[in-house]
């Protein structure tokens, strides 16, 4: 029963998110290409109906960032990666790979702040 309520609420949030998508920032072609390169080391571990993940996906959409999304409910290996390397199965979590270093950033507000700082 609880599972059903959570699923329905998740779908509702996803629907309203779709209905009221934030406006995407526009960049020149060259600027966008540069950003596309910069985000190559980022991936977001998340799942579709999670409200905190929707919050981060909105930020990603607004900042126009082609960050790869890894659904931990649909792909067991992403869940295992998150647990073994990040430390816990809590989403959203941003995997940040830079200069052969990997960092796992939890908490939607911290992720959004990081993205804002890096890409706005
Ligand atoms: N304060 C966290 C809350 C994240 C959260 O509660 N995520 C849920 C899914 S919607 C989760 O992963 N729960 C599993 C757990 O807490 O172990 C954030 O803002 O990111």
């Amino acid at each position: 029963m609880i599972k059903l309520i959570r699923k329905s609420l998740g779908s509702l949030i996803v629907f309203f998110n779709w209905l009221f998508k934030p406006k995407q920032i526009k960049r020149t072609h060259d600027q966008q290409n540069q950003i596309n390169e910069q985000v190559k080391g980022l991936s977001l571990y998340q799942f579709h109906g999670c409200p905190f993940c929707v919050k981060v996906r909105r930020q990603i959409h607004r900042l126009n960032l082609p960050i790869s999304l890894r659904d931990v409910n649909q792909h067991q290996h992403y869940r295992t990666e998150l647990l073994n390397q990040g430390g816990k199965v809590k989403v959203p979590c941003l995997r940040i790979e830079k200069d052969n270093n990997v960092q796992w950033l939890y908490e939607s507000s911290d992720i959004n702040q990081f993205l804002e700082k890096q890409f706005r």
Side-chain angles (χ1 to χ4, degrees), residues 6 47 50-53 55 89-92 106-109:
R6 281 176 78 172
F47 67 83
C50 156
F52 303 99
C53 304
K55 177 176 151 188
V89 181
K90 191 172 191 180
V91 290
Y106 287 93
E107 289 301 320
S108 53
S109 299

Side-chain angles (χ1 to χ4, degrees), residues 6-65:
R6 281 176 78 172
K7 206 164 177 198
S8 312
L9 272 178
S11 303
L12 208 63
I13 288 166
V14 167
F15 173 69
F16 277 103
N17 173 46
W18 172 79
L19 209 58
F20 301 107
K21 273 223 145 132
K23 210 172 155 216
Q24 270 190 323
I25 66 166
K26 296 266 179 281
R27 301 187 181 93
T28 64
H29 190 69
D30 285 350
Q31 280 171 337
Q32 187 62 46
N33 278 346
Q34 210 177 330
I35 293 281
N36 295 352
E37 276 305 308
Q38 285 171 20
V39 302
K40 275 189 178 157
L42 303 181
S43 33
L44 185 74
Y45 288 67
Q46 52 99 48
F47 67 83
H48 193 62
C50 156
F52 303 99
C53 304
V54 169
K55 177 176 151 188
V56 175
R57 292 205 304 266
R58 286 178 74 80
Q59 172 80 322
I60 288 174
H61 176 80
R62 191 177 69 78
L63 294 173
N64 205 350
L65 308 171

